[in-house]
């Protein structure tokens, strides 16, 4: 629909411009020809984007980690994000993701939010398939904004009934590598991830942070309405809070890389180029997934849904 509107806008702009040209031009014929071409192009492009919507790409990355324990040298972790189960993505889709993920024989599976979408009363049907994820050290998840919309407590209950471990402002240490998860801020004041609490976070350990948005960590007391106004209009992509805590690697999603034109261009501009892919700032790395699933119209263009396989190496 957006492509048809875009085509219509171009037709009207051209039509308006023709008024300033000699009046003996065949205006009606020009507009009809242009309309047929642009509407045809819009329909073909929509069909292409709909075809792309169903494809899943396996993407491979290698990330150097400072002080990486020897046990993790050369080991693989899987980064999944934004599956949006319950929206346009169903159990068949989840089974496909589980199969493709398990084929990678990873040591760890990490999901950075928006696992669910839509009615929470039906989320429990996904538990059996979520239990089929296989990784040596398990599957971990932290919430995104769509868990808040669907009902975060219900989402927590569903995840709690599965083998997936929810890192709700918590950390775990696995063979010397720390995995920390910061939940997406809720409508009310969100519990704070206290980096100074040794029961929550161990300093001076190589750490992978799961945080749904590719933005700076939110301060104590920030609620959903405050966070969203900044995340959508003027996201802070300095990552200063994360870097100050010596986080090795942040895994995020949320942007879907814009999903399809012109939103791919919009996401790039809003997030200042940090809307997709692996980026480095000194010893800090962040990987922003285009999403394993999709949201909204069943369309994708330049950025496919993806399963990201990350090999950890010593820096």
């Amino acid at each position: 629909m957006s492509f048809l509107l875009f085509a219509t806008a171009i037709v009207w702009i051209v039509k308006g411009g023709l008024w300033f040209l000699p009046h003996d031009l065949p205006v009606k014929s020009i507009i009809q020809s242009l309309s047929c071409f642009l509407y045809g192009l819009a329909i073909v492009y929509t069909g292409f984007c709909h075809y792309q919507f169903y494809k899943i790409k396996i993407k491979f990355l290698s990330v150097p980690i400072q002080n990486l324990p020897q046990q993790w040298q050369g080991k693989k972790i899987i980064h999944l994000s934004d599956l949006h189960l319950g929206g346009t993505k169903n159990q068949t889709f989840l089974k496909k993701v589980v199969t493709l993920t398990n084929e990678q024989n990873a040591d760890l599976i990490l999901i950075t939010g928006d696992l669910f979408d839509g009615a929470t009363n039906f989320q429990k049907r996904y538990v059996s398939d979520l239990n089929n994820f296989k990784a040596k050290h398990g599957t971990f998840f932290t919430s995104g904004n769509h868990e808040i919309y669907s009902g975060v407590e219900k989402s927590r209950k569903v995840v709690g009934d599965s083998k997936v471990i929810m890192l709700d402002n918590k950390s775990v240490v696995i063979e010397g590598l720390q995995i920390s998860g910061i939940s997406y801020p809720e409508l009310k004041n969100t519990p704070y991830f206290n980096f100074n609490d040794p029961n929550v976070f161990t300093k001076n350990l190589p750490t992978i942070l799961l945080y749904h948005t590719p933005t700076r960590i939110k301060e104590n007391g920030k609620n959903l309405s405050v966070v969203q106004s900044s995340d959508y209009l003027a996201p802070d992509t300095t990552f200063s809070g994360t870097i100050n805590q010596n986080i090795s690697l942040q895994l995020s999603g949320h942007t879907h890389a814009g999903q399809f034109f012109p939103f791919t261009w919009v996401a790039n501009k809003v997030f200042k180029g940090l809307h997709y892919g692996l980026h480095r700032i000194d010893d800090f790395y962040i990987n922003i997934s285009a999403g394993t699933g999709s949201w909204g119209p069943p369309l994708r263009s330049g950025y496919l849904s993806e399963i990201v396989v990350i090999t950890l190496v010593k820096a």
Side-chain angles (χ1 to χ4, degrees):
M1 182 63 72
S2 64
F3 306 132
L4 293 174
L5 291 173
F6 189 63
T8 301
I10 293 176
V11 169
W12 278 100
I13 291 171
V14 172
K15 187 176 181 179
L18 289 175
W19 284 102
F20 298 97
L21 296 177
H23 293 292
D24 57 346
L25 287 174
V27 173
K28 185 175 180 180
S29 176
I30 292 173
I31 294 301
Q32 287 178 342
S33 298
L34 181 64
S35 298
C36 288
F37 172 75
L38 290 176
Y39 290 141
L41 184 63
I43 292 169
V44 169
Y45 188 61
T46 300
F48 168 74
C49 290
H50 186 65
Y51 168 74
Q52 295 282 84
F53 175 78
Y54 293 100
K55 297 172 71 174
I56 301 176
K57 175 178 70 174
I58 309 295
K59 180 179 178 180
F60 296 92
L61 298 173
S62 180
V63 177
I65 302 292
Q66 292 286 337
N67 303 315
L68 182 71
Q70 184 60 38
Q71 299 94 310
W72 284 98
Q73 170 66 23
K75 301 299 183 180
K76 292 189 291 187
I77 64 173
I78 299 286
H79 179 198
L80 305 177
S81 192
D82 299 86
L83 278 79
H84 289 281
L85 300 173
T88 55
K89 299 299 186 180
N90 55 22
Q91 284 176 282
T92 301
F93 164 76
L94 178 56
K95 290 178 188 295
K96 181 178 180 180
V97 171
V98 169
T99 299
L100 291 173
T101 299
N102 289 346
E103 286 175 354
Q104 304 306 316
N105 296 315
D107 288 78
L108 198 59
I109 299 170
L110 304 174
I111 308 173
T112 53
D114 285 5
L115 178 60
F116 299 116
D117 198 2
T120 53
N121 293 334
F122 300 101
Q123 289 178 355
K124 60 185 178 182
R125 64 186 172 185
Y126 298 110
V127 169
S128 60
D129 291 311
L130 290 172
N131 287 341
N132 289 330
F133 277 121
K134 290 181 173 60
K136 179 181 178 181
H137 296 296
T139 302
F140 294 84
F141 161 75
T142 193
S143 65
N145 54 306
H146 279 260
E147 274 74 45
I148 310 301
Y149 306 151
S150 298
V152 68
E153 292 304 328
K154 291 182 179 180
S155 296
R156 285 188 178 114
K157 176 66 168 59
V158 173
V159 174
D161 289 340
S162 75
K163 295 178 182 178
V164 176
I165 300 168
M166 188 166 186
L167 290 180
D168 204 358
N169 294 316
K170 298 176 183 176
S171 299
V172 295
V173 179
I174 305 172
E175 296 184 349
L177 178 65
Q178 183 166 232
I179 313 298
S180 299
I182 299 181
S183 301
Y184 196 82
E186 301 173 25
L187 285 168
K188 298 179 181 179
N189 287 342
T190 305
Y192 178 53
F193 187 98
N194 189 353
F195 284 99
N196 295 316
D197 184 348
N199 295 315
V200 175
F201 182 79
T202 304
K203 294 181 181 291
N204 301 318
L205 279 181
T207 300
I208 298 175
L209 172 67
L210 313 185
Y211 189 58
H212 181 60
T213 58
T215 59
R216 180 182 177 183
I217 300 168
K218 303 305 179 295
E219 298 86 357
N220 187 16
K222 295 289 186 182
N223 63 31
L224 182 65
S225 59
V226 175
V227 167
Q228 286 198 325
S229 63
S230 62
D231 279 353
Y232 286 100
L233 299 177
D236 183 346
T237 55
T238 61
F239 307 109
S240 57
T242 313
I243 293 171
N244 289 341
Q245 296 299 333
N246 294 316
I247 301 298
S248 310
L249 171 64
Q250 178 175 327
L251 301 180
S252 299
H254 183 65
T255 67
H256 295 233
Q259 207 162 299
F260 58 90
F261 181 82
F263 302 107
T264 50
W265 179 83
V266 172
N268 182 25
K269 294 302 179 184
V270 170
F271 284 88
K272 307 174 185 70
L274 293 164
H275 67 304
Y276 174 70
L278 182 67
H279 300 266
R280 177 184 180 181
I281 304 173
D282 296 325
D283 292 330
F284 166 72
Y285 287 84
I286 178 169
N287 184 63
I288 303 136
S289 170
T292 310
S294 302
W295 179 82
L299 303 171
R300 271 195 180 271
S301 55
Y303 299 94
L304 296 179
S305 297
E306 63 181 18
I307 294 169
V308 183
V309 184
I310 301 174
T311 301
L312 303 179
V313 296
K314 284 189 174 183

